[in-house]
Amino acid sequence: MDITQKDTGSYKRRDRFGVVFTRPARSFTQIVFTLSHSRLKSSRAFLEMSTTHAVVSPQEWLNARKALLAKEKELTRLSDEIAKERRALPWEEVSKAYVFDGPNGKETLEALFKDKSQLIVYHFMFGPDAEAGCPSCSFYGDHHNGTDAHLEQRDTTWVAVSRAPYDKLAKYKERMGWSWKWVSADGNGFPEDMKVSFNPPFDGTEVYNYGQPKFLFPEMHGLSVFFKDKETGKIYHTYSTYARGADILLGTHNELDFTPKGRDDEEFAPYKMAWLKRHDEYENQGDGAW
């Protein structure tokens, strides 16, 4: 985030989505101390965990692991049951003729299905005036690379949709090294109808994630699913999820959940993904650097 000092005793904070907030000013020393203190608390917490965590015999470890396994299996069965209920939800027919701009020129919503009957749309936060995609949505984008071939074996296509013009999307996609399809919905009303894009000024009646949110940006993320009846050509909206509802798509988070430190993001609360950067912005990009 960018912090700029003002003479009025406050500062403007521009977050990673480009939204500006005004807060009471703190000195540079106070800001540095706060950030350093946060990291120090995190380091101390891990040191305390590593020195006081229970260490037991192999049999005691096995007993504890089996007890947790029973809960994990219960969660898996519940997840399977919820998936069945999700598939059983009623559908709503899509009556608007949306037209998108993408690598193949102008395409209708129907064309995005290709020859499949199911379409997954990821609502990627990249507004018309932005110069780069949202870091968190880029995190999702990283996880989808390479999965299209598998989805299409199950009669399903996938596409990302944003309001930014297609030339911006194509440029950013090339920078990120992504292979999946991305189209622009600039001006066609699709993101607004899917409750993921909002035009300021906000009046408090906006609906996101099936309710009135505590905070709102012009672009929000989500995932929507559509079904096409190949005989009639009719298209139906079958499901949409928002906010943490799409967290299951983030394999990195799910893998970190297996580790002793977990996601290690408490110091960033309430914006727990504030640590995140685009994959080409980390100083240490790891052995699998793009």
Side-chain angles (χ1 to χ4, degrees):
M1 64 182 67
D2 300 324
I3 298 176
T4 56
Q5 190 72 39
K6 294 180 64 181
D7 295 334
T8 57
S10 65
Y11 68 83
K12 285 185 177 180
R13 181 171 68 88
R14 184 180 298 275
D15 73 3
R16 56 200 172 96
F17 303 109
V19 176
V20 177
F21 301 89
T22 301
R23 299 287 177 84
R26 296 181 294 175
S27 68
F28 177 76
T29 301
Q30 287 176 307
I31 294 172
V32 171
F33 174 78
T34 301
L35 294 174
S36 300
H37 184 60
S38 177
R39 290 182 174 87
L40 181 60
K41 287 195 298 182
S42 179
S43 299
R44 285 176 176 170
F46 179 65
L47 179 61
E48 181 179 347
M49 179 187 74
S50 63
T51 56
T52 63
H53 202 82
V55 178
V56 298
S57 69
Q59 187 57 52
E60 290 175 305
W61 184 94
L62 183 60
N63 292 341
R65 178 64 189 95
K66 285 184 174 180
L68 179 61
L69 178 61
K71 293 183 177 181
E72 290 175 334
K73 288 184 175 182
E74 181 180 354
L75 178 61
T76 299
R77 287 191 289 268
L78 178 59
S79 179
D80 290 343
E81 183 60 35
I82 290 175
K84 290 180 181 179
E85 294 183 21
R86 184 183 300 123
R87 294 192 294 271
L89 284 172
W91 299 349
E92 60 176 348
E93 185 174 352
V94 179
S95 57
K96 289 188 179 180
Y98 299 106
V99 178
F100 303 85
D101 188 19
N104 301 322
K106 301 296 183 181
E107 289 187 284
T108 63
L109 179 63
E110 181 180 8
L112 298 181
F113 282 81
K114 299 197 291 188
D115 62 342
K116 312 303 179 186
S117 63
Q118 300 185 132
L119 172 68
I120 298 173
V121 171
Y122 180 67
H123 303 288
F124 194 115
M125 296 169 62
F126 196 154
D129 298 326
E131 295 303 321
C134 158
S136 297
C137 290
S138 299
F139 192 36
Y140 282 91
D142 290 342
H143 284 80
H144 186 73
N145 236 25
T147 65
D148 283 338
H150 304 293
L151 286 173
E152 294 198 4
Q153 302 308 307
R154 309 316 306 151
D155 194 29
T156 304
T157 57
W158 188 100
V159 65
V161 174
S162 301
R163 285 204 295 180
Y166 177 67
D167 58 344
K168 284 188 176 182
L169 304 182
K171 183 178 179 180
Y172 186 66
K173 176 183 172 182
E174 181 178 8
R175 169 188 163 185
M176 293 289 99
W178 294 326
S179 60
W180 38 261
K181 188 172 182 176
W182 201 353
V183 297
S184 171
D186 188 18
N188 75 1
F190 180 76
E192 292 86 351
D193 291 342
M194 292 293 106
K195 309 299 183 185
V196 291
S197 291
F198 308 89
N199 297 308
F202 304 141
D203 61 12
T205 63
E206 293 79 13
V207 174
Y208 175 70
N209 199 18
Y210 305 103
Q212 293 182 318
K214 295 180 179 179
F215 65 92
L216 190 70
F217 301 105
E219 310 297 328
M220 303 292 279
H221 91 110
L223 180 144
S224 296
V225 182
F226 301 87
F227 181 85
K228 181 176 69 174
D229 186 320
K230 293 183 179 180
E231 292 186 1
T232 65
K234 291 184 177 181
I235 296 174
Y236 303 92
H237 174 216
T238 69
Y239 181 75
S240 282
T241 189
Y242 311 91
R244 286 200 65 186
D247 189 66
I248 192 173
L249 302 177
L250 295 176
T252 300
H253 275 174
N254 296 324
E255 290 191 64
L256 287 172
D257 286 341
F258 290 126
T259 68
K261 293 181 70 176
R263 301 184 187 188
D264 195 25
D265 55 9
E266 291 300 326
E267 65 181 291
F268 300 102
Y271 306 110
K272 292 189 175 183
M273 293 181 74
W275 62 271
L276 190 67
K277 297 181 180 181
R278 299 172 183 89
H279 65 242
D280 62 353
E281 295 176 343
Y282 293 113
E283 291 183 9
N284 178 8
Q285 297 190 22
D287 294 335
W290 293 71

